[in-house]
Amino acid sequence: MTETTSKIQEAISAKDVVLFMKGTKEMPQCGFSSRVAGVLNYMGVDFSDVNVLSDETIRQGIKEFSDWPTIPQLYVKGEFVGGCDIITEMTLSGELDTLFTENGVEFDKDAADKIREANG
């Protein structure tokens, strides 16, 4: 296991929900990262953010780790869930609620419902 892979594995093991993104959850640096962080923040999910812009090896390494070419990337309980489009679809369909519930991740169900109402 490379040093980069070890860092990534350590990050996704340290917290139930981890978002590899451009920027931070307080200050996203791209629209896609902003969308996913915004959904998680609005739903009150306690998540860790990993700013790939601060470490080029992580930025490239996470793409190889997940075999997924784009950032952001969301992990729940150490499992890769998807990028912006997948998280958006899962939020609107209610699948993200189910995933969080099945994994014991606390979130605001009313906030999730409001997102669906606003985009329905």
Side-chain angles (χ1 to χ4, degrees):
M1 191 181 290
T2 68
E3 183 181 337
T4 301
T5 303
S6 294
K7 279 186 190 177
I8 292 168
Q9 189 63 55
E10 197 174 293
I12 65 173
S13 299
K15 193 93 167 175
D16 285 347
V17 181
V18 180
L19 181 63
F20 288 82
M21 62 183 292
K22 293 178 181 175
T24 64
K25 58 184 163 184
E26 294 85 13
M27 190 169 292
Q29 298 293 308
C30 87
F32 300 115
S33 291
S34 180
R35 180 181 295 170
V36 176
V39 164
L40 296 175
N41 283 325
Y42 188 76
M43 290 173 61
V45 175
D46 181 23
F47 72 100
S48 175
D49 56 344
V50 178
N51 182 1
V52 301
L53 297 178
S54 67
D55 187 335
E56 185 61 31
T57 61
I58 297 292
R59 184 177 184 174
Q60 291 308 315
I62 192 62
K63 295 174 186 180
E64 294 167 15
F65 184 86
S66 63
D67 197 25
W68 191 259
T70 60
I71 294 166
Q73 293 186 14
L74 182 67
Y75 288 78
V76 175
K77 293 279 183 147
E79 296 293 322
F80 175 63
V81 179
C84 184
D85 290 345
I86 289 171
I87 300 309
T88 300
E89 286 176 27
M90 289 178 74
T91 302
L92 296 178
S93 72
E95 286 178 86
L96 193 61
D97 299 31
T98 302
L99 178 70
F100 286 156
T101 300
E102 288 174 349
N103 284 283
V105 173
E106 292 186 26
F107 69 100
D108 184 338
K109 177 82 168 104
D110 291 336
D113 289 340
K114 285 180 185 172
I115 292 171
R116 283 186 283 281
E117 287 171 21
N119 292 282

